[in-house]
Amino acid sequence: GRLEAVTQQMGYHPQYLDSFLKTQHYLMHMDGPLPFDCRHYIAIMAAARHQCRYLVNLHVLQFLRAGGDPQWLRGLEFIPPKLRNLNEINKILAHRPWLITKEHIEKLLKISEWSWSLAELVHAVVLLAHCHALASFVFGCGCEQDEGLGGRGSLKPLSLGNQCFCEATAGNSYSQELLRINRKRSLDSCMELDSLRERMQRIHVETEGRDEMRLLQQDREEGEGQGAEVGVQGGSSYGTPGLLSPLADTDGEVTGATNLACYMQDPDFGYQDFARRDEDQTQVFRVQDYSWEDHGFSLVNRLYSDIGHLLDEKFRMVDGLQSSAMAKRQGCEPSVFKRGIWNYIHCMFGIRYDDYDYAEVNQLLERILKVYIKTVTCYPEKTNSEMFDRFWKQFKHSEKVHVNLLILEARMQAELLYALQAITQYMI
């Protein structure tokens, strides 16, 4: 129940929020192939790829509530090999999904006692794509601006008139009920916080002395100047290797993920343009050969019951959102404008539609908007408030949130298409 900043931003589009909450609740809290603690740890791994502290902090707490082993929060070296083997596909999906092959799938499904089942892998893939795309939304809408667990940060203040946020979702019974449950969970979490603090403090005490001695030894070996440099680096996203991730600070507050690097390997691996001019043309993914509607939906729904229907509803919901104001300002029909954004995002991941004239993208999307979309989609951790403010200054905040929802869903579908196609090829 700690997605306040995200749900407030999505609250500008209540129908979409309802669909999003249903999907996320099903992924994280309903019956499925994966244990609940593993689901949240996979979410931590996915969010860490984009240095998204907001989501990592959220899922660290939920991981512990689900009965997860606190030792796992020390990093990938402390988790079961089965989960650790997911790291490669997590890295590729997050940054260059077109590199995923059936060999990656085969490796996960055929590792003796650490092997994944097809159903488990599909659940994991959907979780990874969901959290990668949600990280884009978090950075795109400024929810990462406040690193506190409540996540109050946003780039613009809400303007829902005299309504409170919950009232803004009136008519969506599921949203209202889930938000009521989330408020109750937030109250319950206050009572749980003392218990969580004790658990985190216990882990901290167990390793504090050893880490302190190691750092002191390092200071003596590298000299005073180098030691000071290490101290400064400890405040960055990557911190000092080996330090415990979530700790209790001096005020007794839980501060998660001081060192996101412990949750990933090869941190320098990032997005590269799909078709670089100095390289041979990479194989293009053609939707006519493998699409969500004709292939992905049935596969994911068969291996992970009902999730296909929820994802499909969410894709359709974002496509059906009203955007007449955006389109009018660009001088085109709403469907044309939205398709331009969607196809531009897919194009950056090497996905092409044979029936689309890509010259329209340059006509519909001004350069500053394209820069914003590419940043939020491909390397969201580089997004800042200035970029958000600069594009479409004359547009309402809700219209900018709409663009971020399109980014979220288009990116998620792109990752799923590549992963599900690889799974299909393996099954064949």
Side-chain angles (χ1 to χ4, degrees):
R2 288 192 176 269
L3 273 176
E4 287 88 352
V6 168
T7 51
Q8 284 183 25
Q9 296 299 318
M10 290 183 181
Y12 282 103
H13 304 279
Q15 288 182 316
Y16 173 85
L17 172 63
D18 181 69
S19 182
F20 174 85
L21 290 176
K22 284 192 293 186
T23 303
Q24 176 156 278
H25 183 71
Y26 189 84
L27 273 173
M28 292 297 181
H29 304 293
M30 299 297 286
D31 290 342
L34 293 175
F36 296 111
D37 58 341
C38 289
R39 301 182 198 191
H40 292 294
Y41 200 89
I42 290 170
I44 291 170
M45 292 171 62
R49 285 307 315 181
H50 286 305
Q51 305 169 39
C52 186
R53 294 177 180 274
Y54 179 94
L55 291 179
V56 171
N57 286 340
L58 166 75
H59 288 288
V60 161
L61 285 176
Q62 294 192 351
F63 169 80
L64 291 172
R65 287 195 194 124
D69 184 350
Q71 290 298 320
W72 291 15
L73 299 177
R74 298 177 65 185
L76 298 183
E77 295 180 1
F78 300 88
I79 65 177
K82 180 176 178 177
L83 265 182
R84 189 161 59 246
N85 290 334
L86 199 64
N87 179 69
E88 183 71 10
I89 198 171
N90 175 35
K91 176 183 77 173
I92 296 174
L93 263 183
H95 305 295
R96 305 174 207 170
W98 57 87
L99 296 181
I100 287 186
T101 65
K102 66 177 182 180
E103 285 73 28
H104 290 108
I105 305 302
E106 184 175 17
K107 185 178 179 181
L108 288 168
L109 297 176
K110 294 185 177 179
I111 309 181
S112 63
E113 71 267 31
W114 305 116
S115 64
W116 290 73
S117 70
L118 270 172
E120 289 174 333
L121 185 55
V122 166
H123 193 171
V125 162
V126 175
L127 276 172
L128 290 172
H130 173 82
C131 292
H132 295 154
L134 187 54
S136 284
F137 184 85
V138 166
F139 281 104
C141 287
C143 304
E144 182 77 359
Q145 298 296 310
D146 181 357
E147 294 181 3
L149 295 177
R152 296 182 304 277
S154 59
L155 294 172
K156 290 286 186 180
L158 298 177
S159 55
L160 297 176
N162 295 323
Q163 293 178 307
C164 74
F165 172 65
C166 300
E167 290 171 345
T169 61
N172 283 302
S173 58
Y174 189 94
S175 290
Q176 277 202 287
E177 177 63 16
L178 196 53
L179 289 171
R180 183 191 65 77
I181 294 171
N182 284 346
R183 287 198 299 273
K184 182 179 184 300
R185 285 179 180 168
S186 294
L187 293 174
D188 291 343
S189 69
C190 294
M191 294 182 285
E192 294 176 11
L193 194 54
D194 287 338
S195 174
L196 290 177
R197 286 173 183 160
E198 290 176 6
R199 295 174 70 183
M200 301 313 299
Q201 187 64 32
R202 185 166 61 251
I203 301 170
H204 178 46
V205 169
E206 290 174 357
T207 58
E208 187 179 42
R210 183 173 65 255
D211 288 333
E212 184 176 350
M213 290 300 295
R214 178 175 55 78
L215 292 175
L216 288 173
Q217 180 65 26
Q218 183 176 330
D219 285 347
R220 283 197 294 270
E221 292 176 355
E222 298 181 1
E224 182 177 353
Q226 185 71 12
E229 183 179 353
V230 170
V232 172
Q233 290 175 346
S236 71
S237 296
Y238 296 108
T240 306
L243 287 181
L244 196 63
S245 298
L247 302 175
D249 63 20
T250 54
D251 295 324
E253 293 295 324
V254 174
T255 57
T258 58
N259 173 23
L260 301 189
C262 72
Y263 296 125
M264 59 180 172
Q265 297 170 353
D266 195 5
D268 294 328
F269 186 91
Y271 175 82
Q272 288 184 351
D273 286 341
F274 173 76
R276 305 180 71 175
R277 295 177 182 177
D278 58 341
E279 297 179 357
D280 294 335
Q281 178 67 34
T282 310
Q283 183 64 42
V284 171
F285 186 111
R286 299 198 177 278
V287 175
Q288 282 68 21
D289 298 329
Y290 196 95
S291 68
W292 167 257
E293 293 81 5
D294 297 331
H295 306 90
F297 168 80
S298 58
L299 175 64
V300 74
N301 219 45
R302 176 156 53 93
L303 293 170
Y304 181 16
S305 178
D306 292 333
I307 192 62
H309 291 292
L310 290 167
L311 292 173
D312 194 61
E313 177 188 295
K314 197 154 59 78
F315 294 146
R316 294 177 185 276
M317 189 63 66
V318 78
D319 184 57
L321 290 179
Q322 295 300 314
S323 58
S324 56
M326 291 193 300
K328 184 177 181 180
R329 289 189 175 100
Q330 300 303 112
C332 65
E333 292 296 318
S335 60
V336 173
F337 184 65
K338 285 186 292 186
R339 190 181 184 194
I341 293 178
W342 187 278
N343 287 2
Y344 175 57
I345 294 166
H346 275 196
C347 185
M348 288 186 286
F349 287 115
I351 298 174
R352 306 278 289 192
Y353 296 79
D354 288 345
D355 60 350
Y356 186 73
D357 180 7
Y358 284 86
E360 286 189 9
V361 171
N362 291 329
Q363 298 170 6
L364 293 171
L365 310 181
E366 56 193 54
R367 183 179 180 278
I368 197 167
L369 173 58
K370 289 171 68 177
V371 169
Y372 176 81
I373 291 174
K374 184 172 184 177
T375 304
V376 176
T377 302
C378 303
Y379 19 79
E381 62 275 9
K382 296 183 180 180
T383 310
N384 56 50
S385 58
E386 181 182 357
M387 294 178 64
F388 185 91
D389 292 333
R390 284 177 60 199
F391 94 87
W392 286 356
K393 289 186 177 181
Q394 75 277 25
F395 280 48
K396 296 177 181 179
H397 182 76
S398 62
E399 293 169 333
K400 295 189 176 187
V401 172
H402 188 175
V403 171
N404 279 283
L405 292 178
L406 286 168
I407 293 172
L408 186 161
E409 296 301 339
R411 176 181 178 176
M412 182 173 184
Q413 188 178 103
E415 291 188 25
L416 285 177
L417 283 174
Y418 278 109
L420 295 175
Q421 183 193 49
I423 292 173
T424 300
Q425 291 172 344
Y426 166 81
M427 294 173 66
I428 294 174

